[in-house]
Amino acid sequence: MDTRQPITAIKGIGDSKAKSLNKLGVYTVGDILLHFPRTYYLYKPPVEEQELKNHVNEKIAITLELRSNAILKKTRSLDIVLAKGFMPDISIELIWFRTPYIRNKLYTFTPLVFFGKLIESGGSYKMEQPEVYTKKEYENLCKKLCPIYSLTKGVSNKLVINTVCEALKNTVLDEHLPEEAVKNNNLLPYNTA
């Protein structure tokens, strides 16, 4: 893949996603490779039940088990998915808006890790729009820094990460430095770096 090709040359990017990425100044394959993260996030191990009250209004990970299937409520303008996750002595209400497909990731009687902002309301806890991971997926996230990108409407952090990975996988980058400068200074080739 050539860095001058339009962003739609990357697998998974159609016209609609391309228009959203254009708002960020991303028009070509090369542009997405130069759309650097604004910061990085280090995922921390899930919070234990006894520590929940110390993390209200913070983004945290918690391990919960669903004992019944999630419910999909449809309104005229909004699909809402509701589930209840359990720790040994506490239940937490889980809510997703406009994401009915999330039910495919919500397995019952299997420990899942939910990452999101913990809210306390009337003595009970809830999370809105939490990310859902298997324990193994979340353990892998904890081993690396996650890039956080500048975003706009229609562009999620996950979309940018996946697009950058797809571009890197299929693009050979031209070396900008003379070969002698790379060797003399023990630099990695541009494509490797």
Side-chain angles (χ1 to χ4, degrees), residues 76-109:
R76 287 185 188 187
S77 61
L78 191 64
D79 289 342
I80 303 171
V81 175
L82 300 169
K84 190 169 269 200
F86 294 88
M87 292 178 132
D89 296 323
I90 294 176
S91 66
I92 297 178
E93 187 179 3
L94 304 163
I95 306 164
W96 293 268
F97 303 99
R98 294 185 176 93
T99 53
Y101 56 84
I102 197 74
R103 292 186 312 157
N104 298 335
K105 294 182 82 175
L106 300 175
Y107 308 112
T108 54
F109 301 103

Side-chain angles (χ1 to χ4, degrees), residues 1-55:
M1 190 176 301
D2 188 306
T3 56
R4 294 169 295 200
Q5 285 183 282
I7 194 69
T8 52
I10 297 175
K11 181 180 170 186
I13 303 298
D15 290 337
S16 175
K17 288 180 183 173
K19 284 180 184 174
S20 296
L21 286 165
N22 292 165
K23 294 175 190 172
L24 295 171
V26 175
Y27 297 93
T28 65
V29 173
D31 291 340
I32 194 67
L33 294 175
L34 295 174
H35 183 69
F36 298 114
R38 61 181 171 80
T39 190
Y40 290 87
Y41 184 82
L42 180 60
Y43 285 87
K44 297 175 184 160
V47 171
E48 298 295 326
E49 182 175 343
Q50 61 272 17
E51 297 174 15
L52 283 181
K53 64 181 172 230
N54 300 328
H55 295 282

Side-chain angles (χ1 to χ4, degrees), residues 41 43 59-61 113-116 127 129-131 133 138:
Y41 184 82
Y43 285 87
K59 274 195 155 189
I60 61 166
V113 178
F114 296 87
F115 179 81
M127 277 186 165
Q129 300 295 113
E131 299 168 28
Y133 302 99
Y138 193 77

Side-chain angles (χ1 to χ4, degrees), residues 38 121 174 181:
R38 61 181 171 80
S121 176
D174 297 327

Side-chain angles (χ1 to χ4, degrees), residues 125-161:
Y125 295 107
K126 69 179 177 179
M127 277 186 165
E128 294 178 356
Q129 300 295 113
E131 299 168 28
V132 182
Y133 302 99
T134 64
K135 286 182 104 175
K136 183 80 170 162
E137 288 171 336
Y138 193 77
E139 285 171 9
N140 289 337
L141 270 180
C142 289
K143 295 176 183 174
K144 58 186 177 185
L145 289 172
C146 180
I148 306 296
Y149 290 93
S150 297
L151 305 172
T152 189
K153 185 177 180 183
V155 178
S156 68
N157 201 61
K158 188 173 184 177
L159 172 68
V160 178
I161 290 171

